[in-house]
Amino acid sequence: MRWQSDPLLHVEHLTMRFGGILAVNDLSFTAGRGDITALIGPNGAGKTTVFNCITGFYKPTEGRIAFARDGRAADADVAALTQTSKRHGRSASGDIYLLERMPDFEISAQAKVARTFQNIRLFQGMTVLENLIVAQHNPLMQASGWTLLGLLGVGPYRARERDAIEKAKFWLNKINLLERADDAAGDLPYGDQRRLEIARAMCMDPVLLCLDEPAAGLNPRETADLNTLLCMLRDEQNTSLLLIEHDMNVVMQISDHVVVLDYGTKIADGAPAAIRSDPKVIAAYLGVADEEEAQAVAGDRT
Amino acid sequence: MPAGRDTSSPPAAHRLNHALREAGFAALIAIGLSFPILALGAEPDINNQLALQTRWSWMFTAAVLIGSARFFAVMLDSSRARLLAIAGLLCTAFGFGTWYFAGIADPKIVGGTIAAGVLAMLAAFPADKPEKNAHSAAKTPARPATNLSSTAASLFSAAGIGALIAFPLAMLWWFGSAGSLKWINNYGIQILIFVMLGWGLNIVVGLAGLLDLGYVAFYAVGAYTYALLATQFDLSFWICLPLAGIMAAFWGILLGFPVLRLRGDYLALVTLAFGEIIHLVLTNWSDLTNGEAGILSIPRVTFFGIPFTAGEDGFAHLFGLQFSPIHRTIFLFYLILALALITNFATLRLRRLPIGRAWEALREDEIACRSLGINTTNTKLTAFALGAMFGGFAGSFFAVRQGFINPNSFTFMESAWILAIVVLGGMGSQIGVALAAIVMVGGTEALRELDFLKQLFGQDFNPVQYRMLIFGLAMVLMMIWRPRGFVSTRTPSIFLKERKAVAADLVGEGHG
Amino acid sequence: MEFFFQQLINGVTLGSIYGLIAIGYTMVFGIIGMVNFAHGDIFMVSAFIALLLFLALTTVIGITWLVLAFIIVLLLAMFFTSLWSWVIERLAYRPLRGSFRLAPLISAIGMSIFLANFVQVVQGPRNKPIPPMFNETIALTSGGLFDVTLAWKQIVIMAVTVILLTVFWYIVQKTPLGRAQRACEQDRKMAALLGIDVDRTISITFIMGAALAAVAGTLYLIQFGNVNFADGFIPGVKAFTAAVLGGIGSIPGAVIGGLLIGLIEVLWSAYVSSDYKNVAAFAILIVVLIFMPQGLLGKPEIEKV
């Protein structure tokens, strides 16, 4: 129950309105450090909107998204930070961030929350290697003396760039794409592109990685490989994962904690085993005519 | 107007029939297009009242030319044969033109051109052999897996730079100091200015994918900065040059701040509006800029302090040379060459730095950039500022070369010209931009050489006025021929094993 | 006060002309998402066509009744200008559809340069004046310091604008053609799948835009009494500003935007400085695009992640 004992992400009373549409309604949940947390729900339940609020692409209408990057933060510290107008504060265990106050790029650069996208967003016209180097933009930018020293050819940039290539090679090895490092990302097959996008996000050394439907469009073999990869990220890299997923096989096999959304509201929250037998979840899936998913949820019960 | 290029070739008679119908239709359209605007003319008479003139022959010439061109396009399959036929058509038209319009009845010219033209048109038919794969190659974009050999590339660029350094001396040796002026100045310097401007804009448009239609504003800022500082405060060119660059970069940032959240064509239009505002301010703020009259007697360039004059302390005297104005021109040539090469090397270097990669990533996908912690606003501003800075350098060079500037050198036309060079060259490709500048600037300069047509068409005929007309048409044709420019593939900035060019259809187009 | 009313009338007249040009920009942008850079020059060509036809009708054919001459000129100018626009779309834009994003823009800029220089070559670089017409004025107020007058040509301009806008509004809203246009605006691929001839619909959009530009060209000629080959660019940019101000893609928006730009330009010249009247138009373009890119009547765009 790490999401209770050591949560790193606290989403509290999150509400998001688009004009008259209430996409997310008073949603509260936590994600545990070192957990794989799955956010599931029928189509249109507001899962991607939650992601976009966490990663700063949308400004939530209401609510707080506190992120304890380095270790468990006392509630009092978060409350004290909320009282100020600052985005970033400190607690005994390290930095805390209020994500709803931060622009998207600072969330990824400072709070170390990385993400992937439902419709893969690689830099198609750049090579696989370049994609992974761009992901290390901020440290490299610093090493190049904000371009000035790099332009003159002095400073530590060359050495840092070599390190960046090594890191890229490490991740390419993990996703079996080392051979294709010099090919354009847009030339890769779909499954490889999905994995490359995860590797690119990992090159930022994230504390929390948000994956938006990583298994969409993958065949069973690729899905199995993905499960292994995600478990490796959690167990070897100590990265916490938050994922949106429709494939119940993935969700039930690898996640430690499942949060279920329907019509923008949380209807269930707990360990996978508990979610499977939750009548509200089954009703939500059966009632929304997405029978395949409902059967998957119900079928996995036995 | 269906082109009717079926794979199974239709019977010859049917095809001829079809071609004739198409030709007739095209001729009819040509008549429709040219009826009022070409066939009628209006010139003010003595009372300043417009009097109507009719020029039916122009209209029929246009109809016949366009109809015949359409006929050949339908009848012939290969582009080679079509080109031959069109060339023949133009040759014949030229022959008739000299005879009919200019009243020159020299049978050798008239008969010769007409005969040659007809022959070429006839020869097009036997020359019409189907091209292998030409059609499929156009449809499916080729994915070249070419390995760019870096040694060959660097050899090539070294040879190019060598040739450029030798260019003025070769011209001097070949044409003498009077005859070489045109080549070094009109071709050499003029082309290099646009190469430099193209390379500067390439950072903004080609790398960062931000469409800028007001680039001339920064060119103007650079030029006026130098002109005003030099005339008002007596500062030397070498002090003004960096100041002009900084000033232009400052204006780039000033413009960039509010507009960079705009996307696509909107960004293009705001930059266009900005360029026009700068132009209008330069025209109307007479106290500062002297308005339309411009700034006169801007100090000329010196050889690091030594003036290019005929006197005792002039360049020629000190170096023991016979005085000639060509010395200054040659020095200007090397100056712009150095400035352009600095732009080039800086850009090539920037591409291999995080900022350059961030520009290209921005062009590919801005949202992904933000998810990777890249501050897109700063990234765009840097592109704008650096692009503007190089524009400013070029501007101050322009001012020192001309010795006189007024707002008319900084109109939207120049912006369009520079953008066309970047797009035609192939966005992001340095060598492509240089090639495009040579073709476009050199080409329009070469159109000035059409003076010999005066001898055929009479002294009233002014070939220079056709320059921009041909230029506009060429822009359209070149876009249709190569929408992605001369060099459409992208060279990766880094590689593990080998540098493989990225196919054009994968490379992003930018959002703004 | 009288001065202000007079300026108001002048502004609405000028604004009607901008509004008519703006519709061409807005319709083309709506359907293929392209700024038809040559549209301003199409307008200039139409003014030349109108001028030549008017001369031919009055001096060669000898029509003396101005109203009849005006109607014939208007209709013929609409026809010939549409033909130009149709051919330009067919040759310079259609081959580039679905290609690289900047290619049609560059092609349009090329076309714009070509048209301006073509007219310069065949018609000469000088201003072409025509004799004033519909010049009689009606005094709306009298006795004050300053009489507010309304010239017949201003009435003609406003009346023609209102009539033609009604007709085009009807076509776009009520006919199958208008439905096809709106379908293509929404989703061109889907429209094609549903059996709409997309190429033809786009062609017709260009033709309609050009016809309205021709009306604007004819009215411009009547209002200002002369035309020059370089007259396409500035009115073109102002009309585009009007289209953006009104909300690009919206036809009523284009008209409202046109009227506003016309009023602002006239009032700016009257009360501030006529030197900087074009600066005002460009500054509005910048401010509108930055602070309300959806314009007055356009739909806001939500960024999709």
Side-chain angles (χ1 to χ4, degrees):
Chain A
M1 298 294 175
R2 262 180 301 199
W3 68 91
Q4 283 155 354
S5 63
D6 183 14
L8 92 163
L9 179 74
H10 307 251
V11 175
E12 286 159 278
H13 305 293
L14 179 71
T15 299
M16 184 75 210
R17 264 192 209 92
F18 295 105
I21 301 160
L22 192 59
V24 179
N25 184 15
D26 196 28
L27 172 72
S28 300
F29 71 92
T30 55
R33 192 178 308 281
D35 271 355
I36 295 181
T37 309
L39 196 57
I40 65 168
N43 284 329
K47 305 179 295 288
T48 299
T49 308
V50 174
F51 255 45
N52 285 339
C53 289
I54 293 173
T55 50
F57 283 88
Y58 292 159
K59 280 272 153 282
T61 319
E62 274 169 52
R64 184 172 72 179
I65 306 169
F67 185 68
R69 192 184 68 185
D70 306 321
R72 197 193 152 107
D75 288 347
D77 290 335
V78 178
L81 178 61
T82 313
Q83 292 304 312
T84 68
S85 60
K86 284 189 286 190
R87 304 161 171 181
H88 163 235
R90 284 177 186 286
S91 73
S93 57
D95 292 348
I96 36 180
Y97 293 89
L98 293 179
L99 302 187
E100 80 280 5
R101 295 181 181 176
M102 298 166 71
D104 40 28
F105 70 93
E106 281 185 6
I107 290 180
S108 27
Q110 292 166 17
K112 295 278 173 204
V113 178
R115 72 170 290 175
T116 64
F117 296 87
Q118 202 171 332
N119 46 340
I120 308 171
R121 285 186 174 275
L122 287 171
F123 306 121
Q124 305 250 331
M126 301 173 88
T127 64
V128 170
L129 179 65
E130 282 179 308
N131 267 274
L132 300 184
I133 302 287
V134 170
Q136 304 173 52
H137 176 80
N138 285 316
L140 285 176
M141 196 71 182
Q142 208 168 351
S144 73
W146 284 272
T147 307
L148 277 178
L149 297 180
L151 205 53
L152 300 171
V154 293
Y157 176 64
R158 288 193 155 219
R160 290 290 90 76
E161 194 190 37
R162 269 196 297 279
D163 298 345
I165 295 172
E166 284 311 312
K167 189 195 258 181
K169 275 161 89 175
F170 170 80
W171 281 108
L172 286 176
N173 220 355
K174 289 280 182 207
I175 60 168
N176 293 325
L177 280 180
L178 194 54
E179 285 306 305
R180 306 212 58 181
D182 295 325
D183 287 325
D187 266 340
L188 296 182
Y190 188 81
D192 290 351
Q193 293 199 11
R194 281 246 174 252
R195 289 207 310 278
L196 177 59
E197 202 190 15
I198 296 173
R200 186 180 69 179
M202 285 310 293
C203 278
M204 301 177 60
D205 299 323
V207 174
L208 175 67
L209 175 61
C210 301
L211 302 163
D212 198 344
E213 299 199 24
L218 300 188
N219 64 32
R221 224 206 108 72
E222 289 172 326
T223 308
D225 287 348
L226 178 77
N227 281 355
T228 322
L229 176 68
L230 296 186
C231 289
M232 188 277 283
L233 297 185
R234 173 187 60 186
D235 301 334
E236 290 175 21
Q237 300 291 320
N238 298 321
T239 308
S240 311
L241 301 182
L242 179 64
L243 67 132
I244 293 175
E245 191 45 74
H246 278 297
D247 189 330
M248 288 303 148
N249 290 324
V250 176
V251 172
M252 295 303 162
Q253 274 174 31
I254 65 169
S255 52
D256 303 296
H257 173 203
V258 181
V259 176
V260 191
L261 283 189
D262 193 18
Y263 292 112
T265 323
K266 186 169 85 172
I267 57 170
D269 183 347
I275 294 297
R276 266 181 213 168
S277 52
D278 191 317
K280 271 201 277 184
V281 178
I282 295 166
Y285 272 94
L286 283 177
V288 182
D290 209 335
E291 289 185 21
E292 222 174 295
E293 285 170 34
Q295 276 162 3
V297 175
D300 276 359
R301 227 172 351 155
T302 49
Chain B
M1 294 196 290
R5 277 200 284 167
D6 307 48
T7 38
S8 60
S9 65
H14 178 259
R15 186 167 189 180
L16 184 67
N17 213 339
H18 173 67
L20 284 175
R21 235 177 316 137
E22 285 286 319
F25 184 66
L28 209 63
I29 295 285
I31 289 180
L33 289 183
S34 48
F35 163 57
I37 201 109
L38 193 64
L40 303 178
E43 281 303 323
D45 60 14
I46 316 151
N47 307 323
N48 204 26
Q49 296 260 320
L50 286 184
L52 201 67
Q53 310 157 338
T54 53
R55 306 180 290 214
W56 301 114
S57 53
W58 291 26
M59 182 171 92
F60 288 114
T61 311
V64 169
L65 281 178
I66 289 172
S68 321
R70 182 74 196 145
F71 176 78
F72 289 126
V74 178
M75 282 304 283
L76 300 171
D77 283 322
S78 67
S79 47
R80 195 162 16 110
R82 282 185 190 167
L83 272 179
L84 185 63
I86 303 286
L89 184 64
L90 289 176
C91 193
T92 316
F94 183 76
F96 274 113
T98 50
W99 169 62
Y100 184 88
F101 288 109
I104 292 172
D106 184 346
K108 263 182 261 159
I109 296 177
V110 175
T113 45
I114 292 177
V118 172
L119 271 180
M121 283 192 277
L122 291 177
F125 287 90
D128 186 26
K129 294 196 186 72
E131 287 161 85
K132 275 177 207 148
N133 301 329
H135 210 62
S136 61
K139 276 269 147 59
T140 51
R143 292 270 179 93
T146 41
N147 307 331
L148 304 175
S149 154
S150 55
T151 47
S154 57
L155 264 178
F156 180 72
S157 54
I161 293 167
L164 278 171
I165 291 172
F167 174 78
L169 302 175
M171 288 297 126
L172 197 60
W173 176 73
W174 188 258
F175 293 104
S177 76
S180 61
L181 181 70
K182 180 181 88 183
W183 292 99
I184 300 171
N185 194 39
N186 296 10
Y187 287 86
I189 296 179
Q190 190 69 12
I191 290 174
L192 281 172
I193 288 180
F194 277 91
V195 169
M196 174 157 180
L197 287 169
W199 279 341
L201 186 61
N202 198 18
I203 294 176
V204 184
V205 179
L207 294 182
L210 303 164
L211 187 48
D212 184 351
L213 277 181
Y215 191 62
V216 76
F218 308 122
Y219 187 44
V221 166
Y224 272 86
T225 304
Y226 169 64
L228 289 172
L229 288 178
T231 51
Q232 307 291 322
F233 301 100
D234 262 345
L235 293 178
S236 88
F237 176 73
W238 298 104
I239 295 171
C240 293
L241 183 70
L243 289 178
I246 290 167
M247 195 69 180
F250 168 75
W251 277 93
I253 292 172
L254 211 63
L255 168 70
F257 252 118
V259 308
L260 286 179
R261 57 202 189 97
L262 298 172
R263 300 165 157 266
D265 294 336
Y266 281 9
L267 178 66
L269 284 154
V270 170
T271 49
L272 180 148
F274 177 74
E276 285 302 302
I277 287 179
I278 293 265
H279 174 72
L280 288 165
V281 168
L282 292 178
T283 312
N284 288 313
W285 191 3
S286 302
D287 295 343
L288 182 73
T289 65
N290 203 20
E292 287 275 4
I295 298 173
L296 297 151
S297 57
I298 300 167
R300 295 303 203 133
V301 73
T302 57
F303 186 78
F304 305 101
I306 306 165
F308 288 96
T309 50
E312 281 284 299
D313 48 1
F315 172 82
H317 186 80
L318 284 177
F319 285 79
L321 297 165
Q322 174 112 44
F323 172 75
S324 158
I326 198 77
H327 296 155
R328 173 166 39 215
T329 311
I330 291 175
F331 180 68
L332 283 171
F333 179 91
Y334 285 124
L335 181 59
I336 185 68
L337 180 63
L339 286 172
L341 288 179
I342 288 171
T343 312
N344 182 36
F345 289 128
T347 310
L348 289 179
R349 192 136 217 179
L350 285 167
R351 270 200 77 205
R352 289 172 174 75
L353 286 169
I355 187 71
R357 295 204 184 104
W359 287 336
E360 292 202 79
L362 200 62
R363 183 190 64 203
E364 298 288 322
D365 192 327
E366 181 174 346
I367 287 172
C369 278
R370 274 149 52 186
S371 84
L372 296 175
I374 296 173
N375 184 337
T376 49
T377 312
N378 286 355
T379 310
K380 288 179 185 177
L381 276 180
T382 328
F384 243 73
L386 282 172
M389 185 181 80
F390 290 123
F393 288 151
S396 67
F397 172 82
F398 177 77
V400 82
R401 172 213 186 195
Q402 301 292 101
F404 155 74
I405 51 170
N406 75 353
N408 291 338
S409 306
F410 311 103
T411 60
F412 170 70
M413 269 304 302
E414 325 296 310
S415 286
W417 201 306
I418 304 164
L419 182 67
I421 285 174
V422 173
V423 174
L424 182 70
M427 299 211 332
S429 161
Q430 297 291 100
I431 190 82
V433 168
L435 276 178
I438 293 171
V439 169
M440 299 215 356
V441 182
T444 42
E445 279 301 318
L447 289 176
R448 285 187 202 274
E449 312 282 318
L450 292 176
D451 260 10
F452 72 93
L453 288 177
K454 269 191 181 165
Q455 288 163 5
L456 294 175
F457 287 115
Q459 288 303 310
D460 292 345
F461 182 82
N462 180 10
V464 175
Q465 64 177 346
Y466 292 92
R467 271 174 78 220
M468 296 313 290
L469 182 113
I470 294 173
F471 171 68
L473 211 54
M475 254 165 101
V476 176
L477 291 177
M478 287 193 287
M479 275 301 108
I480 292 169
W481 174 53
R482 300 214 80 161
R484 278 208 170 242
F486 290 153
V487 183
S488 52
T489 56
R490 174 181 173 272
T491 315
S493 65
I494 192 170
F495 61 96
L496 277 188
K497 293 200 188 70
E498 53 175 343
R499 203 187 285 277
K500 297 180 194 167
V502 177
D505 55 332
L506 290 176
V507 179
E509 310 175 349
H511 301 278
Chain C
M1 205 62 210
E2 282 89 353
F3 182 66
F4 176 74
F5 275 118
Q6 186 67 61
Q7 297 307 329
L8 216 57
I9 291 174
N10 297 346
V12 170
T13 316
L14 186 62
S16 305
I17 294 175
Y18 289 153
L20 287 168
I21 311 174
I23 292 175
Y25 279 113
T26 228
M27 281 178 32
V28 167
F29 192 92
I31 201 160
I32 52 174
M34 162 196 171
V35 180
N36 179 11
F37 221 93
H39 191 63
D41 294 277
I42 285 283
F43 155 79
M44 177 274 299
V45 167
S46 80
F48 265 92
I49 290 176
L51 174 114
L52 293 165
L53 289 172
F54 181 78
L55 276 180
L57 286 181
T58 50
T59 61
V60 180
I61 299 176
I63 297 176
T64 46
W65 191 33
L66 266 188
V67 176
L68 180 66
F70 170 71
I71 290 172
I72 297 175
V73 165
L74 190 67
L75 293 176
L76 285 178
M78 284 167 83
F79 171 77
F80 286 115
T81 312
S82 301
L83 192 64
W84 269 97
S85 187
W86 179 73
V87 171
I88 288 172
E89 193 273 331
R90 195 70 184 67
L91 296 181
Y93 304 154
R94 191 179 295 179
L96 295 170
R97 200 164 296 151
S99 154
F100 180 50
R101 187 176 60 94
L102 286 181
L105 184 75
I106 301 290
S107 184
I109 293 174
M111 246 319 149
S112 159
I113 295 170
F114 167 76
L115 285 176
N117 285 281
F118 172 74
V119 172
Q120 185 191 9
V121 166
V122 299
Q123 295 292 340
R126 280 198 283 171
N127 266 350
K128 304 282 173 182
I130 57 158
M133 57 178 120
F134 304 124
N135 237 12
E136 303 79 7
T137 58
I138 308 169
L140 295 181
T141 64
S142 58
L145 277 173
F146 188 90
D147 284 357
V148 180
T149 60
L150 183 62
W152 269 105
K153 63 184 176 189
Q154 293 178 315
I155 297 175
V156 169
I157 289 171
M158 291 180 217
V160 170
T161 308
V162 169
I163 293 167
L164 280 161
L165 283 181
T166 319
V167 172
F168 274 76
W169 178 243
Y170 179 81
I171 293 175
V172 172
Q173 287 298 315
K174 304 282 179 196
T175 62
L177 169 67
R179 262 200 302 283
Q181 277 178 330
R182 277 175 286 142
C184 292
E185 269 176 42
Q186 292 280 324
D187 188 336
R188 237 187 296 156
K189 220 175 254 169
M190 195 64 214
L193 286 174
L194 292 174
I196 294 172
D197 187 341
V198 174
D199 279 344
R200 189 168 151 267
T201 312
I202 292 173
S203 277
I204 292 174
T205 307
F206 271 85
I207 287 173
M208 285 167 69
L212 288 178
V215 177
T218 313
L219 298 178
Y220 179 89
L221 194 65
I222 291 177
Q223 169 74 8
F224 294 103
N226 67 64
V227 62
N228 180 281
F229 75 97
D231 278 351
F233 180 66
I234 294 280
V237 174
K238 283 182 189 161
F240 186 81
T241 308
V244 171
L245 179 61
I248 197 119
S250 154
I251 293 178
V255 179
I256 294 172
L259 290 176
L260 281 175
I261 295 286
L263 281 171
I264 290 167
E265 180 180 335
V266 167
L267 294 176
W268 183 281
S269 311
Y271 290 102
V272 187
S273 145
S274 67
D275 280 350
Y276 285 96
K277 68 174 183 188
N278 291 337
V279 175
F282 289 119
I284 292 167
L285 178 64
I286 294 182
V287 169
V288 170
L289 280 175
I290 291 170
F291 293 106
M292 43 181 247
Q294 77 278 14
L296 294 171
L297 301 182
K299 295 173 218 92
E301 195 181 322
I302 297 173
E303 185 182 49
K304 277 284 211 185
V305 177

